[in-house]
Amino acid sequence: MPTSPADRNPRTERLNALRRQMVLDAAVRVFERDGLEKTTIRAIAKEAGCTTGAIYPWFAGKETIYGALLDESLQRLHAHLGEAATAGDAPTAARRAIHAFFGYYAQRRTDFSLGMYLFQGLGPRGLGRDMDEKLNARLRQCVDLLGVALARTKGWDAATAAVEQMNLFTYLMGLLLLLHTHRLKSLGQQADTLLDHYCLALEQR
């Protein structure tokens, strides 16, 4: 839990960071098992092996924990996309960014569920206006990186890239939803093949 300035030393801070992460890791498991609506701080504490009182200094409630998890996930996505979108040859920037975005969520089902509010019908309610705006801003930064990559590859102006990046984002999220719900497999489709066709069509436009 938070400490006084006199207690703030590297060892104490490392222990506090570890305990906080243990709570977050436990919360993910409980959200996956019970969904946000049925999850309680008591259940998270039990999963983390601590008391409920040990959680409240960091998190006001389960929604705050959920918001922290989603915020960290979007920060990781932004870092993952950054290099793919801005480094390397311009003609392949869009392809790299598309594969980086898709690969991030394809390999991280929990992160995708967080971003799509998929834990048993979760909606964004309860996160609070400030947290909701913060998370939306994080997401916009990620989508904007798709636009940066598209502009580099296609030479589009800012207005055109802004429209195209949303079209691309919509496509990617739809494809990921089909992947994680196993609809692609039932339809006899492969995500990598569809993604390559999309990239090729984009580059030939």
Side-chain angles (χ1 to χ4, degrees):
M1 64 184 63
T3 60
S4 66
D7 293 330
R8 287 175 185 164
N9 58 64
R11 183 174 182 276
T12 300
E13 290 182 357
R14 284 196 299 271
L15 286 173
N16 283 331
L18 178 61
R19 290 166 182 154
R20 181 180 184 275
Q21 190 60 50
M22 288 175 62
V23 170
L24 291 174
D25 292 343
V28 169
R29 295 191 293 271
V30 179
F31 287 143
E32 288 179 332
R33 185 188 70 215
D34 300 338
L36 180 68
E37 299 299 331
K38 295 180 180 179
T39 290
T40 64
I41 289 292
R42 185 182 297 276
I44 294 173
K46 181 179 179 180
E47 184 73 21
C50 67
T51 65
T52 57
I55 293 178
Y56 285 116
W58 288 307
F59 305 107
K62 61 185 181 182
E63 292 85 3
T64 311
I65 297 174
Y66 193 93
L69 288 168
L70 181 50
D71 184 47
E72 291 181 2
S73 173
L74 290 172
Q75 289 187 64
R76 290 193 297 269
L77 173 61
H78 188 269
H80 186 70
L81 278 176
E83 184 174 355
T86 61
D89 296 334
T92 58
R95 180 180 287 268
R96 289 195 307 273
I98 289 169
H99 279 279
F101 187 102
F102 183 85
Y104 178 86
Y105 279 129
Q107 297 167 16
R108 297 171 177 84
R109 182 182 181 124
T110 295
D111 286 67
F112 182 70
S113 294
L114 282 168
M116 293 287 284
Y117 302 113
L118 290 182
F119 287 132
Q120 298 185 15
L122 170 66
R125 62 189 179 281
L127 296 182
R129 180 176 179 180
D130 289 344
M131 177 59 76
D132 190 48
E133 290 179 353
K134 179 181 180 181
L135 295 173
N136 284 333
R138 293 273 193 218
L139 179 59
R140 283 194 297 271
Q141 290 170 354
C142 295
V143 177
D144 286 346
L145 282 175
L146 293 176
V148 168
L150 289 170
R152 290 188 66 209
T153 294
K154 302 300 296 180
W156 286 326
D157 58 40
T160 302
V163 173
E164 294 291 343
Q165 72 186 28
M166 286 307 302
N167 289 336
L168 173 57
F169 173 69
T170 301
Y171 170 80
L172 288 170
M173 296 305 279
L175 186 60
L176 285 160
L177 184 61
L178 291 173
L179 173 72
H180 285 307
T181 56
H182 306 292
R183 294 298 188 272
L184 280 180
K185 184 176 181 180
S186 67
L187 293 170
Q189 299 294 322
Q190 295 290 327
D192 289 342
T193 301
L194 293 173
L195 208 58
D196 282 337
H197 279 303
Y198 183 94
C199 290
L200 182 60
L202 174 67
E203 291 162 350
Q204 292 178 342
R205 281 172 57 187

